[in-house]
Amino acid sequence: AQSVAQPEDQVNVAEGNPLTVKCTYSVSGNPYLFWYVQYPNRGLQFLLKYITGDNLVKGSYGFEAEFNKSQTSFHLKKPSALVSDSALYFCAVSLEGFKTIFGAGTRLFVKA
Amino acid sequence: GAVVSQHPSWVICKSGTSVKIECRSLDFQATTMFWYRQFPKQSLMLMATSNEGSKATYEQGVEKDKFLINHASLTLSTLTVTSAHPEDSSFYICSALGVNTEAFFGQGTRLTVV
């Protein structure tokens, strides 16, 4: 079955420190991979995507993600976290027919 | 980027009534839209795929007679929750597929059934 896994329910990091939010996937074929951020009672905001090309993808708000085909991972990273980065982050994969399935979400807390 | 607008942002309705949620692509045409449901502190679950001019395709376990989807134009899809009950209270989010196959999400609709 095709799936997306975010192994951490929550990630805590101090402001100014680097952050990583993990994501692994299991899909057939070449995946389209995405990261979204959600603030309370709000919809999803697109951060970045990988479709093809360079494995390191740069996105909005200083975020980046690295596609690793051998490890089937697409971890989200940021060199220096901000308190305002605190939110719920979803990894997602687009399947045939462009249906998107989401990971369970990881709540990021950045402490000042 | 492309804009998808959902209306209303929040709604409170009485048990047994029906509620319609609209999803509009404001600056692009979307032949395909998707409807998701999100319970508190949980991920988004795909409910159905809405294709313009044809019947929606529902995911397993989603009651098509309860969650009516209409995609009458290239810029509008509607989700109607019929005979709503408190257990239908949830956050509903739509997305519209753009020309480059990227999905753009609406801001979501918080439904509370009392």
Side-chain angles (χ1 to χ4, degrees), chain A residues 3-5 23-27 31 33 67-69 72-74 93:
Chain A
S3 63
V4 178
C23 172
T24 59
Y25 63 91
S26 175
V27 300
L33 296 160
F67 172 64
N68 188 316
K69 189 172 184 178
T72 62
S73 67
F74 190 56
V93 61

Side-chain angles (χ1 to χ4, degrees), chain B residues 35 48-51 54-58 64 67-71:
Chain B
W35 287 96
T49 302
S50 170
N51 293 299
S54 64
K55 291 183 178 180
T57 303
Y58 291 82
K64 62 181 181 180
F67 298 101
L68 301 179
I69 292 173
N70 184 280
H71 195 156

Side-chain angles (χ1 to χ4, degrees), chain A residues 14-107:
Chain A
E15 188 174 34
N17 284 0
L19 69 86
T20 298
V21 182
K22 296 180 180 178
C23 172
T24 59
Y25 63 91
S26 175
V27 300
S28 57
N30 295 319
Y32 290 6
L33 296 160
F34 302 82
W35 274 101
Y36 294 91
V37 60
Q38 184 180 36
Y39 294 95
N41 293 312
R42 300 289 296 276
L44 299 181
Q45 294 183 30
F46 170 80
L47 282 180
L48 50 81
K49 66 179 177 182
Y50 172 84
I51 295 178
T52 187
D54 194 350
N55 289 344
L56 183 64
V57 179
K58 294 187 182 296
S60 305
Y61 312 118
F63 285 93
E64 59 187 31
E66 186 166 12
F67 172 64
N68 188 316
K69 189 172 184 178
S70 63
Q71 297 185 4
T72 62
S73 67
F74 190 56
H75 301 332
L76 181 70
K77 300 181 179 183
K78 186 173 182 179
S80 179
L82 299 172
V83 173
S84 57
D85 292 331
S86 299
L88 186 58
Y89 291 81
F90 289 103
C91 181
V93 61
S94 181
L95 307 176
E96 181 179 347
F98 306 108
K99 292 191 298 186
T100 302
I101 60 171
F102 291 83
T106 298
R107 190 163 298 279

Side-chain angles (χ1 to χ4, degrees), chain B residues 64-80:
Chain B
K64 62 181 181 180
D65 294 330
K66 180 168 188 60
F67 298 101
L68 301 179
I69 292 173
N70 184 280
H71 195 156
S73 77
L74 288 172
T75 59
L76 174 64
S77 176
T78 60
L79 168 67
T80 301

Side-chain angles (χ1 to χ4, degrees), chain A residues 6 32 34 36 38 41-46 49 51 88 90 94 97-105 107, chain B residues 32 34 36 38 41-46 49 59 91 93 97 100-108 110:
Chain A
Q6 292 180 242
Y32 290 6
F34 302 82
Y36 294 91
Q38 184 180 36
N41 293 312
R42 300 289 296 276
L44 299 181
Q45 294 183 30
F46 170 80
K49 66 179 177 182
I51 295 178
L88 186 58
F90 289 103
S94 181
F98 306 108
K99 292 191 298 186
T100 302
I101 60 171
F102 291 83
R107 190 163 298 279
Chain B
T32 302
F34 303 96
Y36 296 84
Q38 184 181 28
K41 300 184 180 181
Q42 294 189 28
S43 187
L44 285 75
M45 301 301 297
L46 180 64
T49 302
E59 296 299 303
F91 195 56
I93 301 177
L97 203 60
N100 61 351
T101 72
E102 180 176 335
F104 299 94
F105 287 81
Q107 74 274 29
R110 168 80 54 200

Side-chain angles (χ1 to χ4, degrees), chain B residues 13-19 66 81-86 88 111 113-114:
Chain B
C13 71
K14 291 184 177 181
S15 186
T17 61
S18 296
V19 174
K66 180 168 188 60
V81 183
T82 62
S83 187
H85 292 282
D88 298 325
L111 170 63
V113 185
V114 298

